[in-house]
Amino acid sequence: MRFVADGPDIPDAVRRALEDEELVLFCGAGVSMSTGPGVAGMPSFSQLVNSVTGALRQVLNDQEQAALTGYQYDRALHLLEQRLGRNRVRQAVVDVLTVTAPFERHKAVLELARLRDGGFRMVTTNFDPQFDHAAKALGYEVTNDVAPMLPVPKQHRWRSVAYLHGKIAPGATGEHTSVQSLVYTTGDFGLAYLTERWASRFVTDLFTKYPVLFVGYSVDDPVMRYLMDAFAAERQLAGSSAKPSPRAWAFAPYQDPTAMAQEEEAWRAKGVEPIPYAAPNHDHSLLYDTLAEWGQRKKFGLTARIRAAERASDIIPVPPYSVDHEVEAVRWALEEPAAVLSFAKAEVPAPIQWLPVLEEWQLLGVRASLPATGASVSQTPQDVAARWVSPTHFQLMVWLTRHLDKPELLDWVLKGGSPHPALQTAILDRLDEPAAAPGAVAKPNEKPHLDTGLEAAWRLVAHPMARAPMADLADVHACWTRLKGGADDHVTRQDFTRMMAPIPRIK
């Protein structure tokens, strides 16, 4: 589903995991970096190395330069600390990261990570205070758990933002405990993931309990390497007896379409499902506009769904439907029965062009595909036996009957064989309502203006004689078996008579 035009297509599994409060957002440096060309932000890992070197007025030696050139930023900083002293380098890191930068992205992420009880469940490997600034701007109280004192990631207990690699305390200097605990050099990562293993334990516990969505990481990010290696090692230790872990997704930017397939394959090699999006010239606006819109819809919940459903009246969908974010917004809205009611009973009905869209989404279980069984297009065999329709199906039947003046609707119904009895009832109910004036839009409690021939056709389609029988093939077989066995009782004769009754098929 797309929340903005040309934005990333969010898988349904990800959306539903977020709505069920199971999804954990895992945020990297990209969330704090520049929001687009010419907009200031926090540095990337490579930029951090250069900024620290500049702040210290140093030139990288050959080993440090080789590490930087080879994308080993953690090693480059480790070598700098060995040469210049741990406290001195860490003070420079503090100076570089304690600057004012935009935090609109952080607000969007916090809205998505917010739980219904007001708590938060999110992980970040960033050190900067931008999430604190965003929470204050939103008026939210946020609990922070900072490494190495990380929370137990259990559903009923975890209600915080976890800073997996530490966080710079306000006013801290290079010697402060919070700064000494930051994880950004090879030595730090070794302690966190291999020796003391507190980060590794948290990550593996998290990945086995929750589906995870990575935001703001690149596929070759050193942090991603440590995270995924830790998880893979733990999974290998667990062996074949380990339960399958929840899925992991990552937003995967690409500079041009030719690089998209390669980017996706690199993510899948890490065991992560990519969600690609275009980021020309390193402009990630499409991603963060998506997160902002997604966060607003989540925040306003049912109200946002109802508004999206009502906007369908002003939209004429054109295929392919999945690339139109406005059409996708209606699809999202119709997942909620109350929004379906608003769609069906809007003052101006959504145009008939929504018919193929709703059918593609398998929301119209209203036609019988086999007159002998009365099977509905999107119902299970159990539903067929009970002749049951869901509240969503029923309300969309109501919407269909507001278009009885459209011959294409009659064609669509007849192509399915015998209409579902619930649809036939809805048609008859609509036909018995007062008619709208010729040329006027029918109100929710009116039938559209119909010429005599079209009204007669609908009354024939909805007539009880055109209804498919209640019996299914199992009933027919049981009756036939009793007859072959010589049964001649009243019930058997009645069943046989009912099953042999002719049923008109209208075409």
Side-chain angles (χ1 to χ4, degrees):
M1 175 178 178
R2 287 179 171 81
F3 289 91
V4 299
D6 301 322
D9 188 2
I10 310 297
D12 289 347
V14 175
R15 293 191 302 106
R16 292 189 178 117
L18 183 76
E19 290 169 6
D20 294 341
E21 298 194 338
E22 295 176 351
L23 186 72
V24 173
L25 273 71
F26 213 112
C27 303
V31 179
S32 294
M33 287 162 57
S34 64
T35 56
V39 181
M42 294 293 177
S44 65
F45 210 160
S46 62
Q47 290 169 340
L48 178 63
V49 177
N50 290 323
S51 297
V52 167
T53 305
L56 294 172
R57 298 183 179 181
Q58 295 288 321
V59 176
L60 296 176
N61 62 29
D62 291 344
Q63 280 188 313
E64 294 159 357
Q65 185 60 52
L68 179 62
T69 305
Y71 307 108
Q72 296 176 312
Y73 313 122
D74 50 337
R75 175 169 170 75
L77 289 169
H78 180 73
L79 293 171
L80 270 176
E81 286 194 354
Q82 284 188 324
R83 180 163 67 91
L84 302 176
R86 182 179 177 88
N87 292 349
R88 185 181 175 190
V89 172
R90 294 197 170 230
Q91 181 62 58
V93 170
V94 172
D95 294 340
V96 169
L97 295 181
T98 52
V99 296
T100 302
F103 48 81
E104 288 303 311
R105 292 177 175 184
H106 302 76
K107 290 164 67 175
V109 172
L110 281 177
E111 290 288 10
L112 289 171
R114 192 166 188 253
L115 305 175
R116 281 185 284 270
D117 64 5
F120 292 83
R121 190 181 292 130
M122 188 188 82
V123 182
T124 181
T125 51
N126 297 346
F127 314 136
D128 58 71
Q130 300 301 85
F131 282 113
D132 289 342
H133 298 329
K136 185 177 180 180
L138 291 169
Y140 295 151
E141 292 288 337
V142 178
T143 300
N144 293 328
D145 284 314
V146 181
M149 306 301 292
L150 294 171
V152 177
K154 291 187 177 180
Q155 189 88 14
H156 64 285
R157 295 179 60 181
W158 182 19
R159 295 290 186 277
S160 67
V161 176
Y163 285 80
L164 181 61
H165 292 164
K167 179 174 181 285
I168 299 171
T173 63
E175 300 178 3
H176 194 273
T177 304
S178 70
V179 180
Q180 291 293 314
S181 299
L182 298 180
V183 178
Y184 61 77
T185 71
T186 50
D188 301 328
F189 282 112
L191 283 174
Y193 287 90
L194 298 175
T195 307
E196 297 178 355
R197 297 192 68 250
W198 46 264
S200 181
R201 281 192 296 271
F202 176 82
V203 167
T204 53
D205 203 13
L206 175 75
F207 285 4
T208 53
K209 286 184 171 65
Y210 298 92
V212 174
L213 176 60
F214 291 102
V215 184
Y217 291 95
S218 64
V219 70
D220 56 356
D221 194 321
V223 175
M224 281 299 303
R225 184 178 72 246
Y226 285 107
L227 290 173
M228 302 316 297
D229 286 352
F231 182 49
E234 194 73 18
R235 192 162 43 188
Q236 187 174 10
L237 287 173
S240 59
S241 61
K243 294 181 180 179
S245 61
R247 296 174 66 184
W249 294 267
F251 287 110
Y254 59 88
Q255 293 296 305
D256 62 84
T258 59
M260 183 171 67
Q262 184 178 358
E263 183 79 12
E264 291 183 33
E265 187 58 35
W267 276 108
R268 291 193 179 100
K270 292 180 178 290
V272 178
E273 190 64 26
I275 305 175
Y277 68 95
N281 300 317
H282 302 285
D283 183 357
H284 300 270
S285 300
L286 285 176
L287 170 60
Y288 292 102
D289 288 348
T290 292
L291 296 184
E293 176 64 21
W294 190 6
Q296 288 303 299
R297 291 191 195 178
K298 178 176 179 289
K299 179 179 181 179
F300 293 106
L302 180 58
T303 302
R305 288 185 190 262
I306 289 174
R307 287 175 181 170
E310 291 172 343
R311 283 199 295 271
S313 299
D314 301 322
I315 300 170
I316 297 179
V318 177
Y321 309 118
S322 61
V323 301
D324 189 331
H325 71 284
E326 291 186 321
V327 173
E328 287 284 270
V330 177
R331 178 188 172 197
W332 166 77
L334 296 185
E335 293 173 358
E336 172 58 52
V340 177
L341 179 64
S342 296
F343 177 91
K345 297 190 174 181
E347 192 67 24
V348 176
I352 193 63
Q353 285 86 349
W354 280 98
L355 179 59
V357 187
L358 299 175
E359 187 172 32
E360 182 177 301
W361 295 342
Q362 298 185 338
L363 291 176
L364 291 173
V366 296
R367 299 193 303 198
S369 56
L370 291 173
T373 63
S376 178
V377 167
S378 63
Q379 291 178 312
T380 65
Q382 293 80 6
D383 293 337
V384 171
R387 308 294 289 212
W388 176 86
V389 292
S390 70
T392 292
H393 286 157
F394 178 77
Q395 293 300 336
L396 291 176
M397 289 179 192
V398 171
W399 170 77
L400 285 174
T401 64
R402 299 182 69 183
H403 290 288
L404 296 182
D405 57 332
K406 310 296 192 306
E408 57 262 47
L409 177 60
L410 181 62
D411 292 340
W412 181 83
V413 170
L414 294 180
K415 285 176 183 176
S418 297
H420 193 285
L423 176 58
Q424 290 176 309
T425 300
I427 292 171
L428 289 174
D429 288 345
R430 180 68 71 190
L431 291 174
D432 291 338
E433 290 176 347
V441 176
K443 296 179 180 178
N445 61 344
E446 293 179 334
K447 72 176 177 182
H449 178 75
L450 302 173
D451 62 47
T452 305
L454 196 53
E455 179 157 353
W458 280 119
R459 289 196 180 276
L460 189 60
V461 167
H463 196 278
M465 73 175 180
R467 297 192 178 187
M470 291 294 289
D472 61 19
L473 292 177
D475 293 333
V476 174
H477 179 73
C479 181
W480 180 243
T481 301
R482 294 201 307 273
L483 286 169
K484 286 198 300 181
D488 191 26
D489 57 275
H490 173 72
V491 172
T492 302
R493 290 196 303 271
Q494 193 174 52
D495 285 347
F496 177 76
T497 303
R498 174 171 56 87
M499 292 176 189
M500 294 302 293
I503 303 165
R505 288 199 66 179
I506 305 165
K507 296 186 179 180

